[in-house]
């Protein structure tokens, strides 16, 4: 025997993973294969997975063949361990060292080496090199020793042709591994298409050797004997192309084994945290930092020891935050904060109501060195870099909005507004007859006023008794007394005091003729 199953397993291309932990011929005394519970890892972490010693073959889903692997990416990782129940290959002459014996084939056998011996399809030979039997074949060596024998074929041009077959005795309810090594005997774009059959039933998928000549590849499938006591094992070629469909076989084996498998799911939690954009703000308009994470229910810890996701920075410095998931994974981010000194705009005027023409001084009492811009009704009147007062002459009546805008090179600013009322006339007059008869005409006694801001009016009857008091400029007399009762028609007297918008004091008296 030239090689064992262990070589075959290591480079398999069609592996069968069983759902059960062990097969029938395992005794139960084999080492327990357990990779652990499904695991969540944090980014940057790795995990060592180890299968127990005591098995002949270890086949990991990653392709590794040793007892353990180190994983650093998410996925499902599995291991299949194989323990041979015997070291005997049940295939007779599977390495072809005995020549053309122990098997049968639907191909025609060619015994003697000759450059044209395998010129026809459906022919085969057993020899040391394909080139010995076909001048276009490559100088290939056998799989194991480099000097041994191999099965060499010019592929058939009809499908389902049996390349190689042998009948062997098997034990019922036993697992077997059917394997072979195959190689194209020349560079080709159309290699052989091979299949394994046991007792006339295909096992596994079709397989093809490499398109590069003299490159050995291993193929195997697993089979359970069930109630069978014998097995007709066969290799069949399905390629019907007459050119390129040429191959070699070596080291065919059929071996019983015990296998155990286990799998583990490794998940990586990718946590991230965003502390937000860098901030720059004026101290009188504070802003907040808000951290967010892609993981729900994450906890936050700032370098200020605050544990809320939102904080209000109070210093110009770098702020960092760490988010931690419920699985213990964490990520950090930082943000820079610049807090700029705020400004205070402040000015005053000796009066807010003037009688035009009038010149007034607006005194700048702001506290910082900055640029000062004075506006009247949003029109820029003066810009200065010192504390200069603003002097202005009002020549037209109206309401004027005076604004001082204070701004600095750091981007902070503040403003103050003051309204000045400029008047060109102040008067207060009234009629002396009114008719409170609810006809909608002259029903109220009131003053006609301009630029009057306060008014106090007292009404007396002819005997000097006070019957009504009016204390605001929006009130009028409807001909009732303090109780709300209508007074009698006749002559009534009044006194008044008023203050104008420019603080002038006005006083007077008169009479009122009430007609009903």
């Amino acid at each position: 025997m030239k090689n064992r199953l262990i070589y075959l397993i290591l480079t398999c291309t069609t592996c069968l993973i069983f759902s059960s932990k062990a097969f029938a011929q395992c005794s139960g005394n084999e080492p327990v294969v357990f990779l652990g519970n499904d695991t969540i890892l944090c980014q940057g972490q790795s995990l060592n997975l180890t299968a127990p010693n005591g098995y002949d073959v270890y086949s990991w889903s990653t392709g590794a063949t040793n007892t353990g692997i180190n994983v650093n990416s998410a996925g499902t990782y599995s291991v299949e361990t194989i323990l041979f129940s015997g070291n005997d290959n049940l295939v007779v002459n599977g390495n072809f060292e005995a020549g053309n014996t122990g098997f049968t084939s639907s191909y025609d056998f060619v015994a003697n080496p000759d450059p044209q011996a395998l010129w026809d399809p459906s022919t085969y030979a057993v020899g040391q090199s394909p080139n010995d039997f076909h001048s276009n074949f490559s100088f290939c060596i056998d799989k194991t020793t480099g000097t041994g024998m191999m099965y060499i074929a010019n592929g058939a041009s009809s499908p389902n042709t049996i390349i190689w077959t042998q009948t062997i005795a098997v034990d019922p309810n036993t697992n077997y591994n059917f394997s072979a090594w195959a190689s194209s005997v020349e560079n080709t774009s159309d290699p052989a298409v091979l299949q394994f059959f046991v007792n006339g039933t295909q096992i596994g998928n079709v397989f093809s050797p490499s398109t590069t000549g003299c490159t050995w590849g291993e193929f195997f499938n697993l089979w359970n004997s069930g109630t069978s006591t014998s097995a007709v094992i066969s290799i069949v070629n399905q390629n019907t192309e007459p050119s390129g469909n040429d191959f070699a076989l070596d080291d065919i084996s059929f071996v019983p084994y015990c296998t155990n498998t286990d799998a583990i799911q490794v998940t990586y939690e990718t946590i991230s945290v965003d502390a937000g954009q860098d901030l720059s703000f004026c101290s009188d308009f504070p802003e907040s930092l808000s951290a967010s994470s892609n993981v729900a229910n994450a906890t936050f810890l700032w370098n200020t020891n605050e544990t809320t996701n939102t904080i209000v920075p109070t210093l110009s410095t770098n702020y960092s935050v760490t988010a931690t998931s419920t699985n213990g994974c964490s990520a950090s981010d930082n943000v820079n904060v610049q807090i700029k000194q705020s400004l205070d705009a402040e000015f005053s005027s000796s009066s807010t109501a003037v009688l035009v023409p009038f010149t007034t001084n607006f005194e700048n009492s702001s506290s910082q060195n900055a640029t000062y811009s004075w506006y009247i009704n949003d029109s820029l009147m003066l810009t200065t870099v010192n504390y200069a007062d603003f002097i202005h002459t009002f020549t037209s009546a109206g309401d004027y909005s005076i604004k001082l805008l204070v701004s600095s090179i750091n981007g902070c600013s503040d403003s103050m507004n003051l309204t000045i009322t400029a008047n060109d006339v102040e008067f207060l007059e009234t009629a002396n007859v009114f008719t409170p008869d609810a006809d909608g005409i002259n029903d109220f006694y009131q003053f006609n006023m301009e630029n009057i801001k306060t008014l106090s009016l007292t009404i007396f009857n002819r005997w000097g008794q006070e019957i009504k008091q009016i204390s605001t400029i929006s009130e009028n007399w409807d001909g009732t007394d303090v109780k709300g009762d209508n007074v009698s028609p006749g002559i009534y007297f009044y006194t008044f005091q008023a203050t104008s918008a420019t603080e002038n004091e006005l006083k007077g008296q008169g009479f009122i003729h009430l007609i009903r």
Side-chain angles (χ1 to χ4, degrees):
M1 182 181 299
K2 291 162 51 180
N3 62 306
R4 296 189 180 280
L5 178 63
I6 186 169
Y7 300 113
L8 185 148
I9 297 296
L10 301 186
T11 58
C12 71
T13 60
T14 54
C15 298
L16 178 62
I17 301 298
F18 291 88
S19 60
S20 59
K21 279 283 185 178
F23 289 93
Q25 63 265 31
C26 294
S27 66
N29 296 321
E30 296 81 15
V32 175
V33 179
F34 179 61
L35 300 180
N37 296 321
D38 291 345
T39 301
I40 298 177
L41 299 179
C42 304
Q43 289 298 311
Q45 290 181 331
S46 61
L47 179 66
N48 288 317
L49 300 177
T50 304
N53 293 321
Y55 288 90
D56 296 307
V57 175
Y58 297 85
S59 179
W60 292 87
S61 54
T62 62
T65 57
N66 45 6
T67 57
I69 60 173
N70 182 271
V71 299
N72 53 20
S73 60
T76 299
Y77 296 89
S78 62
V79 64
E80 182 182 42
T81 60
I82 294 179
L83 182 64
F84 297 118
S85 57
N87 291 325
D88 293 330
N89 183 4
L90 300 182
V91 173
V92 176
N93 192 29
N95 56 14
F96 300 102
E97 293 304 308
N100 187 39
T101 62
F103 66 93
T104 58
S105 176
S106 296
Y107 284 15
D108 294 327
F109 175 65
V110 177
N112 297 320
D114 184 273
Q116 294 185 350
L118 296 181
W119 207 258
D120 297 325
S122 301
T123 58
Y124 79 96
V126 177
Q128 291 184 317
S129 173
N131 185 258
D132 293 340
F133 297 89
H134 195 304
S135 59
N136 291 334
F137 289 175
S138 300
F139 291 93
C140 303
I141 60 175
D142 81 320
K143 165 62 183 64
T144 307
T145 66
T147 59
M149 308 289 278
M150 70 184 81
Y151 179 107
I152 306 164
N154 187 324
S157 57
S158 58
N160 298 312
T161 305
I162 297 177
I163 303 166
W164 176 97
T165 185
Q166 187 175 122
T167 301
I168 60 175
V170 296
D171 294 326
N173 300 312
T174 302
N175 292 299
Y176 293 89
N177 183 71
F178 185 7
S179 68
W181 290 81
S183 172
S184 297
V185 296
E186 59 191 333
N187 294 335
T188 178
S189 61
D190 196 14
V193 179
L194 307 178
Q195 290 177 304
F196 285 149
F197 281 81
V198 178
N199 291 336
T201 301
Q202 178 184 335
I203 62 171
N205 299 320
V206 297
F207 59 89
S208 294
S210 171
T211 57
T212 303
C214 303
T215 302
W216 290 101
E218 185 181 23
F219 307 92
F220 74 91
N221 285 105
L222 307 177
W223 177 76
N224 184 269
S225 58
T227 60
S228 301
T229 57
S230 67
V232 179
I233 61 175
S234 306
I235 302 176
V236 175
N237 185 14
Q238 298 289 15
N239 195 343
T240 60
E241 292 295 326
S243 176
N245 180 22
D246 308 311
F247 57 91
L249 296 176
D250 202 3
D251 294 340
I252 301 173
S253 66
F254 199 81
V255 179
Y257 65 91
C258 165
T259 184
N260 281 295
T261 64
D262 193 33
I264 182 174
Q265 174 136 13
V266 176
T267 302
Y268 270 83
E269 182 178 66
T270 304
I271 182 173
S272 63
V273 62
D274 184 4
Q277 299 294 320
D278 290 347
L279 289 182
S280 178
F281 58 86
C282 303
S283 59
D284 56 346
F285 294 99
E287 298 184 26
S288 61
L289 293 174
S290 292
S292 60
S293 175
N294 64 323
V295 174
N297 301 318
T299 59
F300 299 92
L301 177 62
W302 295 85
N303 59 342
T304 60
N305 291 323
E306 293 170 279
T307 56
T308 55
N309 71 308
T310 299
I311 65 171
V312 178
T314 58
L315 298 174
S316 294
T317 186
N318 284 317
Y319 290 80
S320 63
V321 63
T322 299
T324 303
S325 71
T326 55
N327 296 314
C329 299
S330 61
S332 298
D333 192 24
N334 61 78
V335 61
N336 182 263
V337 174
Q338 293 294 325
I339 303 177
K340 298 173 290 188
Q341 181 182 6
S342 296
L343 301 177
D344 292 315
E346 188 173 355
F347 70 95
S348 60
S349 174
S350 58
S351 176
T352 57
V354 298
L355 190 64
V356 295
F358 186 82
T359 300
T360 188
N361 178 59
F362 299 98
E363 183 179 353
N364 185 356
S365 55
S366 304
S367 58
Q368 292 89 8
N369 291 321
T371 298
Y372 303 93
S373 299
W374 293 92
Y375 295 82
I376 296 181
N377 292 342
D378 294 327
S379 294
L380 180 63
M381 307 300 292
L382 173 67
T383 297
T384 180
V385 293
N386 54 39
Y387 289 104
D389 296 341
F390 175 48
I391 301 174
H392 184 73
T393 299
F394 296 92
T395 59
S396 300
D399 290 330
Y400 295 89
S401 175
I402 313 301
K403 181 175 76 173
L404 172 61
L405 174 64
V406 182
S407 56
S408 66
I409 59 174
N410 67 8
C412 294
S413 63
D414 190 32
S415 64
M416 176 182 171
N417 290 73
L418 182 67
T419 299
I420 296 294
T421 300
N423 304 303
D424 56 1
V425 64
E426 295 176 336
F427 70 87
L428 183 149
E429 63 182 7
T430 183
N432 58 6
V433 177
F434 83 112
T435 58
D437 52 9
D439 63 354
I441 301 173
N442 197 25
D443 286 330
F444 302 98
Y445 178 76
Q446 56 191 4
F447 281 89
N448 182 22
M449 297 174 284
E450 185 72 31
N451 294 318
I452 301 300
K453 66 178 183 178
T454 67
L455 172 66
S456 176
L457 174 66
T458 305
I459 300 172
F460 306 89
N461 62 20
R462 66 179 63 190
W463 296 282
Q465 295 173 324
E466 180 181 324
I467 62 170
K468 194 73 171 183
Q469 178 74 42
I470 292 175
S471 58
T472 66
I473 62 174
S474 61
E475 290 184 79
N476 50 47
W477 186 35
D478 60 358
T480 61
D481 59 18
V482 293
K483 297 180 181 180
D485 297 328
N486 289 331
V487 299
S488 301
I491 302 298
Y492 293 86
F493 301 90
Y494 68 84
T495 62
F496 74 88
Q497 290 183 326
T499 304
S500 72
T502 57
E503 304 300 330
N504 288 327
E505 296 292 335
L506 304 175
K507 296 181 179 180
Q509 60 185 13
F511 71 92
I512 306 167
H513 189 184
L514 187 155
I515 301 174
R516 292 190 184 275

